[in-house]
Amino acid sequence: MGNVSATAILIDELRRCRMTRGLNQEEFGRVISYSGTHVSAIETGTRPPTPEYVRAVDKAMSTGGLFARLLEKLPPLDRTPVWLREWIKIEEQATSLRWYEPSYVPGLLQTEAYARASLWASGMATGEIEAGVKSRIDRQAILNRENPPKLAVVLDANVLTRTTQDSRKMMREQLDHLIAAAGLPHVQIHVVPAEAGLYPGLQGGFALATLSDGLVMGHVDGQVRSQVLSMAGDLANLEATWEFTCRSALPARQSLLLIEEVAKTWT
């Protein structure tokens, strides 16, 4: 029992609440105005319970707000999907991180407004967006701790010019944030310019974490879920892609100048 997470306890109680009423997941979903598939995702831990979801359960089951109170007590990590928690723990233990992104600013360097916009653009349910934003911002604490990991980031130039709903203010703030981050001694940012043409990294974003014992772990984001990689072959492919991508990127100083130049266009 000592290893059971607070989220697991909450999910178990939600499942027990449904079962004691003699309802299957489809029936329970109709009662709380959610699909049976959504109920199943909550109960299997592939989707985190949101404030909206637990309030719907509290209201339909007349619990007096029990589940809402339990959710409020969960630590931030427990509010993230199960499949993402493993990588977040690896981030916290890493001595160095290498992160390549062809489409978005990496989560560790996102502003709150950019995080919210990117989650909205990804199609995340409205009720889950704020929890996702909080999780991303909380993760950034590793960059401000006493012994932060070394962070090397490579961005495709398109990241600097892509926004949503023409939010110029958001993009200016985000690029200013990147400029400030690049000034930190443990952060290095490189940009692959448009002139580089096609290169291996465009197949998708990924991250590599090196732990204190030298062990390297990888992380890739897919359309359905993210995945932690530890197989030697997978890591060798990511390492090779990282090296080829870095060769296409500008040096740190030139990258910073490019970010500053593009930031002015968002004024």
Side-chain angles (χ1 to χ4, degrees):
M1 285 295 291
N3 293 324
V4 177
S5 72
T7 299
I9 294 172
L10 172 58
I11 289 173
D12 186 61
E13 290 301 320
L14 285 166
R15 185 186 304 109
R16 187 185 302 273
C17 176
R18 171 180 63 79
M19 295 177 68
T20 56
R21 268 84 172 170
L23 302 172
N24 62 33
Q25 292 175 338
E26 285 292 337
E27 293 167 338
F28 189 67
R30 285 196 292 272
V31 171
I32 64 173
S33 300
Y34 279 81
S35 68
T37 301
H38 194 119
V39 174
S40 175
I42 295 291
E43 294 188 358
T44 56
T46 58
R47 197 167 189 169
T50 64
E52 290 75 15
Y53 182 88
V54 297
R55 280 199 295 266
V57 175
D58 281 333
K59 181 178 179 181
M61 301 294 113
S62 302
T63 67
L66 171 64
F67 293 117
R69 292 194 297 274
L70 288 175
L71 183 65
E72 287 177 0
K73 296 180 184 300
L74 292 184
L77 182 60
D78 279 2
R79 301 185 191 191
T80 60
V82 170
W83 44 263
L84 184 56
R85 291 176 204 162
E86 183 181 2
W87 180 252
I88 293 176
K89 290 178 180 177
I90 290 171
E91 279 183 346
E92 293 173 345
Q93 297 167 12
T95 57
S96 69
L97 292 162
R98 290 169 287 168
W99 196 331
Y100 166 72
E101 277 293 347
S103 305
Y104 297 95
V105 172
L108 289 180
L109 296 178
Q110 290 182 5
T111 63
E112 184 174 325
Y114 187 97
R116 185 173 292 106
S118 63
L119 290 172
W120 176 84
S122 73
M124 179 177 283
T126 302
E128 298 177 1
I129 288 178
E130 290 309 311
V133 171
K134 187 176 189 310
S135 175
R136 285 194 185 176
I137 300 304
D138 286 346
R139 286 166 63 186
Q140 296 175 8
I142 64 171
L143 297 179
N144 300 312
R145 70 190 186 197
E146 187 173 345
N147 294 303
K150 290 182 172 63
L151 175 63
V153 169
V154 177
L155 305 173
D156 186 85
N158 283 325
V159 173
L160 308 178
T161 58
R162 182 181 291 114
T163 186
T164 181
Q165 299 178 323
D166 194 31
S167 183
R168 307 186 69 81
K169 180 175 182 291
M170 176 196 73
M171 285 303 296
R172 179 57 194 257
E173 290 176 348
Q174 177 60 71
L175 295 196
D176 284 345
H177 185 68
L178 285 180
I179 293 167
L184 297 174
H186 54 285
V187 177
Q188 209 171 60
I189 300 175
H190 298 269
V191 178
V192 180
E195 305 83 71
L198 300 177
Y199 60 95
L202 289 172
Q203 297 176 81
F206 63 90
L208 289 161
T210 302
L211 306 183
S212 58
D213 59 1
L215 179 68
V216 176
M217 302 289 284
H219 177 262
V220 294
D221 251 330
Q223 289 289 340
V224 179
R225 61 176 55 87
S226 62
Q227 184 179 6
V228 174
L229 303 176
S230 58
M231 298 287 289
D234 293 333
L235 294 173
N237 285 336
L238 289 184
E239 292 272 10
T241 301
W242 174 263
E243 291 301 325
F244 275 110
T245 300
C246 285
R247 291 176 198 168
S248 300
L250 296 171
R253 179 57 186 161
Q254 290 182 37
S255 295
L256 180 58
L257 291 173
L258 177 58
I259 296 172
E260 291 173 340
E261 181 181 329
V262 177
K264 294 174 184 176
T265 69
W266 288 114
T267 301

